[in-house]
Amino acid sequence: MATWLVDIPHTDLDLSRRALLDVRDHLQAAAGRATDRVAPELWDDLAARLDLPDAVAAQAHVRGIGRRIDHISRTTWRRVDAVLAQERVPTRPRRPRLERVAPGVALAAGEIVLERGARPAADPLLVLRAAAEAAERDVLLAPATAARLGAESPPLPEPWPAEARQLFVRLLASGRGLLDVWSTLEETGVAERLLPEWSRVHGLPHASVIHRFTVDRHVVETCIEAAALIRTVARPDVLMVAALLHDIGKGGLVDHSVAGEPIARAVASRMGFAPDEVDLVGDLVRWHLLLSETAVTRDPDDPATVDLVARHVTTPEALSLLVALTEADCRAASAKAWSAWRAGLVRQLARRTLATLLARAAGGPAPVAAEAELGVPDDVRRDPRAVAVTVEGTADGTRITTLAQDRNGVLADVAAALAVQRVAVRAARAWSQGPYAVSVWETGEREVDAAVLRERVAAIVDARLDPRDRIARQVRSAREPSVVVRPEASRRATVLEVRTDDRPGVVALVCRALAELDISVRSAHISTLGPQAVDVFYVQEASAGVLSEQRAAAAAHTLRGLLTATVDR
């Protein structure tokens, strides 16, 4: 009803619509049926029909069409909203009123345009000034203005002058206003003029299913999330540029963190950062996954875990930047990637790493982490087979705590009870408190019946319930499992890493097998990455102590065989 209020590029929109309909025709021919959804196995066929080199090119082609339609639609509705927000809707065109907001830049009808007499060819910083003003005001950068700036602006000198770097950081730190402005810069080719490396990730799909967006959109979302954290760090400019470049190495065969580091260093140097700042940007890109991966797959109480982080992040300043980048990256990926439990683990690891860095700087020993003592119920003191179970709600799920007299297999009994009740475990820790065994389990489920769970545990401990068949049915897998020993992960325990399909009974199956081998599980760290579970177990001999190489290899072999038997052939 309101489309008459604004002009839209009908030709571009119609061409994009026709191109998308052509893709649908080819898709339905490839699928042999009416469908609008591209199954993964159809991309190669679709690429051939579209005369494109491969499946990646076909995905980029389709996403490019969608991006163009989305950009035109968002621009149109922004203009409609701006007109409708006026007290009186104009009945005929009127000359726009220009409000100067920066040298060469004006605001007109809710859009950033150029002042009369502005000369982009004589002012290489004008494009950054216009983009930063539009993003900070959360208004449109007029597409015609961006196109003119892209066509007429000369390249920035190298290294960039300080003002150019400051304007670029202002753009990146503008918050939600960055999204539409960056989209306009992409559509008009300005983004790749400012950052030629952007072509590496433009329209690139993510390999991981936990990501909501393509790589380039994820990067923009990461900048938006990082903008909310700039007051938590000493160098917000370094944080914002690292957020922009953290995934710049994706799209190749080399680990993207490794591939991205030299690219990030080259970009930061070109932007005029000092050598120590270039090092910070490069290190943040190289280790941007360090905290999130280590926190969920390693024991934070083990000195080797903190040493691993402190070996790569050597100053409090770098650590604070990495914490902020980790949070921004995870939040931009998906809600599950930055849940309350994951945030807590990352922050706990960061606090312990900071304490170690400060102790080293002062020339003292690293602090020793200690768990808070839990009260021991009387029935647990009296009965060697009693297991106390408490359940409490958390911000995004439930925490289950158990306490029992320490014995071989107690963790397996609790894990089995959780599996029988079909409680999906996403994190677990276990430790000794004198003669008692404590375990804490995190789940995303809101409702866990404590009474039923206590009865399940008691029935399994008393052999009134044999959960093995039920667990075996739960852990059926579609892919081969992986079980490896990680000797570098700890000096006081043997670390076994299990990767298999995410199933409720995996932890119970592994813990029971280890108990039957007379191997004690000191802690378990459960992480889910898309359809895959990455479960890490810190184990010791029942008499306490690391496993020998032969014993560790035998344990890994046993677990591998047990889990392989659950694979559907």
Side-chain angles (χ1 to χ4, degrees):
M1 295 295 291
T3 55
W4 63 272
L5 292 173
V6 298
D7 290 326
I8 62 171
H10 289 280
T11 301
D12 286 351
L13 188 60
D14 190 53
L15 288 173
S16 297
R17 175 178 172 275
R18 289 173 179 271
L20 204 55
L21 289 174
D22 289 342
V23 170
R24 187 177 68 171
D25 289 342
H26 288 305
L27 168 63
Q28 293 182 355
R33 58 187 175 86
T35 180
D36 292 333
R37 189 178 296 274
V38 185
E41 65 273 11
L42 293 177
W43 280 112
D44 285 316
D45 193 350
L46 196 56
R49 292 171 184 271
L50 292 168
D51 198 24
L52 294 170
D54 53 33
V56 174
Q59 292 181 56
H61 173 70
V62 174
R63 287 191 177 90
I65 299 170
R67 290 272 182 92
R68 184 63 180 148
I69 294 173
D70 178 66
H71 177 71
I72 294 171
S73 300
R74 291 169 69 93
T75 300
T76 300
W77 284 110
R78 272 207 178 234
R79 288 174 169 171
V80 169
D81 290 342
V83 171
L84 295 178
Q86 298 178 29
E87 292 183 6
R88 180 172 177 270
V89 177
T91 57
R92 62 178 182 273
R94 61 174 62 172
R95 190 173 185 179
R97 185 174 65 86
L98 299 180
E99 175 191 348
R100 188 176 195 262
V101 294
V105 180
L107 183 66
E111 299 184 18
I112 289 295
V113 298
L114 297 183
E115 281 190 299
R116 295 185 185 90
R119 298 173 56 206
D123 186 357
L125 273 60
L126 187 56
V127 61
L128 289 174
R129 201 175 303 124
E133 288 291 340
E136 288 182 338
R137 295 168 184 270
D138 195 12
V139 298
L140 281 176
L141 173 61
T145 297
R148 181 185 171 193
L149 287 167
E152 298 182 18
S153 297
L156 289 167
E158 295 185 15
W160 290 8
E163 185 183 357
R165 188 170 63 255
Q166 291 163 3
L167 286 169
F168 192 63
V169 170
R170 277 180 53 196
L171 168 64
L172 298 180
S174 57
R176 187 52 60 179
L178 173 65
L179 185 59
D180 281 347
V181 172
W182 193 266
S183 175
T184 298
L185 295 178
E186 283 190 305
E187 286 293 325
T188 54
V190 176
E192 288 190 19
R193 288 199 60 186
L194 293 170
L195 185 66
E197 295 81 0
W198 190 251
S199 62
R200 295 176 56 94
V201 297
H202 182 63
L204 184 68
H206 259 114
S208 171
V209 297
I210 68 168
H211 281 275
R212 296 175 289 172
F213 305 116
T214 54
V215 175
D216 52 347
R217 174 65 185 276
H218 166 73
V219 165
V220 174
E221 291 287 339
T222 302
C223 290
I224 292 170
E225 296 290 350
L229 302 171
I230 58 175
R231 284 172 175 74
T232 68
V233 298
R235 291 301 306 268
D237 53 343
V238 170
L239 172 63
M240 296 313 306
V241 172
L244 178 72
L245 300 175
H246 76 282
D247 276 351
I248 200 69
K250 287 194 169 179
L253 299 177
V254 178
D255 181 303
H256 76 278
S257 299
V258 176
E261 180 185 4
I263 300 171
R265 288 178 179 272
V267 172
S269 295
R270 189 170 71 237
M271 289 180 176
F273 282 100
D276 61 322
E277 298 162 348
V278 171
D279 289 341
L280 261 180
V281 171
D283 288 346
L284 288 171
V285 171
R286 174 64 184 89
W287 301 111
H288 72 271
L289 297 176
L290 179 64
L291 283 178
S292 59
E293 290 185 346
T294 304
V296 298
T297 62
R298 294 292 181 263
D299 184 351
D301 293 337
D302 194 307
T305 301
V306 173
D307 286 346
L308 170 65
V309 178
R311 189 162 61 247
H312 301 301
V313 186
T314 57
T315 67
E317 179 185 55
L319 181 62
S320 70
L321 286 164
L322 186 59
V323 171
L325 179 57
T326 299
E327 179 174 347
D329 186 19
C330 290
R331 285 186 182 275
S334 67
K336 290 182 178 180
W338 193 250
S339 58
W341 74 271
R342 186 182 289 263
L345 290 174
V346 168
R347 289 166 181 156
Q348 179 190 42
L349 177 58
R351 285 194 299 270
R352 290 179 175 173
T353 303
L354 177 61
T356 295
L357 293 176
L358 293 175
R360 288 179 181 177
V368 178
E371 293 289 349
E373 289 261 328
L374 299 182
V376 182
D378 289 341
D379 61 331
V380 172
R381 294 180 186 277
R382 292 192 303 267
D383 185 354
R385 302 182 67 78
V387 179
V389 179
T390 59
V391 175
E392 59 181 317
T394 62
D396 58 351
T398 302
R399 179 178 297 115
I400 301 161
T401 303
T402 72
L403 192 147
Q405 291 190 28
D406 204 356
R407 59 177 172 80
N408 188 26
V410 64
L411 193 65
D413 291 341
V414 175
L418 292 169
V420 168
Q421 203 165 331
R422 300 194 68 83
V423 174
V425 176
R426 63 186 181 192
R429 293 192 57 222
W431 67 92
S432 295
Q433 179 180 303
Y436 301 101
V438 180
S439 68
V440 177
W441 309 76
E442 300 275 354
T443 175
E445 298 179 22
R446 297 285 183 180
E447 300 294 334
V448 176
D449 192 317
V452 172
L453 183 57
R454 290 189 191 98
E455 171 55 30
R456 299 274 194 220
V457 174
I460 291 171
V461 171
D462 296 339
R464 291 182 283 111
L465 172 64
D466 187 347
R468 286 177 294 183
D469 289 343
R470 197 176 306 185
I471 291 172
R473 289 194 299 271
Q474 288 183 6
V475 298
R476 302 305 300 178
S477 174
R479 288 171 288 269
E480 294 289 331
S482 167
V483 182
V484 296
V485 181
R486 298 291 185 193
E488 76 285 355
S490 177
R491 290 185 293 273
R492 61 187 190 186
T494 299
V495 179
L496 298 173
E497 181 183 275
V498 177
R499 292 176 180 256
T500 187
D501 286 1
D502 185 26
R503 298 290 186 269
V506 170
V507 179
L509 194 69
V510 171
C511 288
R512 175 57 59 197
L514 292 171
E516 290 174 354
L517 291 170
D518 201 26
I519 293 174
S520 143
V521 178
R522 203 191 76 200
S523 66
H525 306 268
I526 315 305
S527 177
T528 302
L529 302 174
Q532 177 180 244
V534 181
D535 299 342
V536 178
F537 299 88
Y538 282 66
V539 301
Q540 295 177 326
E541 296 288 3
S543 57
V546 299
L547 276 60
S548 67
E549 288 186 16
Q550 295 80 5
R551 181 101 151 108
H557 179 74
T558 298
L559 295 179
R560 196 177 298 114
L562 187 65
L563 293 168
T564 300
T566 69
V567 176
D568 292 322
R569 302 296 178 179

